[in-house]
Amino acid sequence: MRAVETMAREARADVRRELLYLGSRAAEFTAWLYHDSGAAPGTALYWHDRAIEWADLCGDRAMHGYVLLRKAQATERTDPARMRDLAHAAVNGPWSLPLRARAEALQQEARALALAGAAPQDVVRLLNQAYEALGSAPPVRTVTCTGPLCGGYDVDRLTAQSAVCHREAGRPEQAAALLRERLVTGTFAPRDRAFFTAHLAGALAADGHPDEAAATGLSVLRLAATPRFGQALRELRRAVGLLRPYGRRPAVRELRLAPGSLPVV
């Protein structure tokens, strides 16, 4: 990042644009790294803002919308209004998001609505729009992550994220059913698999299946503890909180003791 900033000061205009183009993507990725590591929210926000600034300076308008989506995803669950505003702006701003990025932004707006207690039909309407956008997107080669501007975003990820929306809307049974099916049949990077499995543990706990939730939570630890997948581990701790009423059950006790031995993330 320092190299990009330093070189851009003296580069001729065409090279400067290329450097800022690269820098905006590097800044967005840096923001994601800080968010995943559990850094203070202001740190990720700083890098998101740098990414937007550099994207604007080099004329990369789609990147501006994409970073708004990433800012929405980094917003805490306790602030659904901001999450919704950012995701809505990503979709409806004065830029043309690639269809896969548009699909993910629509899904993120649906999650924000679910967190805010919106009517179920409003959440489903946005999710349907997300599937329509994804269905209209050009084919993509198989990848293990979403890639720049959601270039690898696929139906596996959208379905898993839709399950998260249903969970946030108070429908844990539907969320668990979707996640169970998709985690068996879908292709996910290890980090994503850990994250969605943690959501499955939480959905099972909320739906009154403590033993299955605990066993699922232990599988998250096997996936996420050593590489320290921060978002998955934080989501798992939320699931463990839901299991407090079942603390006397052996499987739950095993899970509740395990997170205490993990590094703080």
Side-chain angles (χ1 to χ4, degrees):
M1 297 298 298
R2 281 195 296 268
V4 166
E5 193 166 30
T6 300
M7 294 173 66
R9 290 172 186 157
E10 299 181 356
R12 65 178 189 265
D14 59 332
V15 176
R16 177 176 171 78
R17 282 193 297 273
E18 292 293 330
L19 285 168
L20 294 175
Y21 178 91
L22 172 63
S24 69
R25 282 155 171 72
E28 185 279 316
F29 181 56
T30 302
W32 181 87
L33 289 171
Y34 275 114
H35 175 62
D36 189 67
S37 70
T43 308
L45 180 62
Y46 169 81
W47 287 108
H48 278 140
D49 288 345
R50 293 306 302 270
I52 284 177
E53 176 186 327
W54 287 348
D56 288 347
L57 290 175
C58 69
D60 189 359
R61 304 194 78 185
M63 185 65 182
H64 186 131
Y66 174 72
V67 178
L68 290 178
L69 162 61
R70 292 307 188 204
K71 291 177 79 167
Q73 292 174 327
T75 299
E76 296 296 327
R77 299 175 63 256
T78 53
D79 194 356
R82 181 174 185 271
M83 184 190 293
R84 193 249 175 177
D85 286 346
L86 287 165
H88 185 80
V91 173
N92 296 285
W95 41 71
S96 179
L97 274 183
L99 285 169
R100 293 180 187 277
R102 179 180 176 83
E104 187 161 16
L106 286 163
Q107 170 278 138
Q108 189 66 30
E109 186 176 357
R111 184 184 182 195
L113 287 181
L115 285 166
Q121 60 266 27
D122 292 334
V123 176
V124 171
R125 173 179 54 81
L126 283 173
L127 290 176
N128 287 340
Q129 290 178 19
Y131 278 103
E132 289 171 8
L134 188 60
S136 299
V140 64
R141 60 186 176 83
T142 301
V143 293
T144 58
C145 65
T146 60
L149 274 71
C150 305
Y153 191 70
D154 60 13
V155 70
D156 287 337
R157 190 176 180 89
L158 174 55
T159 302
Q161 289 176 328
S162 297
V164 173
C165 292
H166 291 304
R167 181 187 172 197
E168 304 287 23
R171 297 190 293 274
E173 182 178 3
Q174 187 173 356
L178 280 173
L179 285 168
R180 277 198 197 98
E181 185 273 334
R182 193 56 56 167
L183 285 167
V184 169
T185 63
T187 301
F188 296 98
R191 183 183 297 273
D192 290 336
R193 180 169 293 278
F195 178 71
F196 291 125
T197 303
H199 269 289
L200 173 58
L204 290 167
D207 198 36
H209 302 286
D211 292 339
E212 187 180 357
T216 303
L218 288 170
S219 72
V220 175
L221 287 179
R222 289 191 289 272
L223 289 166
T226 299
R228 297 186 64 181
F229 295 157
Q231 294 178 68
L233 292 172
R234 289 196 293 276
E235 193 54 51
L236 175 60
R237 288 189 177 124
R238 185 159 75 100
V240 170
L242 295 174
L243 288 170
R244 285 195 185 98
Y246 308 97
R248 294 181 180 272
R249 303 178 79 95
V252 175
R253 188 182 308 117
E254 181 182 359
L255 176 61
R256 291 193 67 188
L257 290 174
S261 65
L262 294 174
V264 176
V265 294

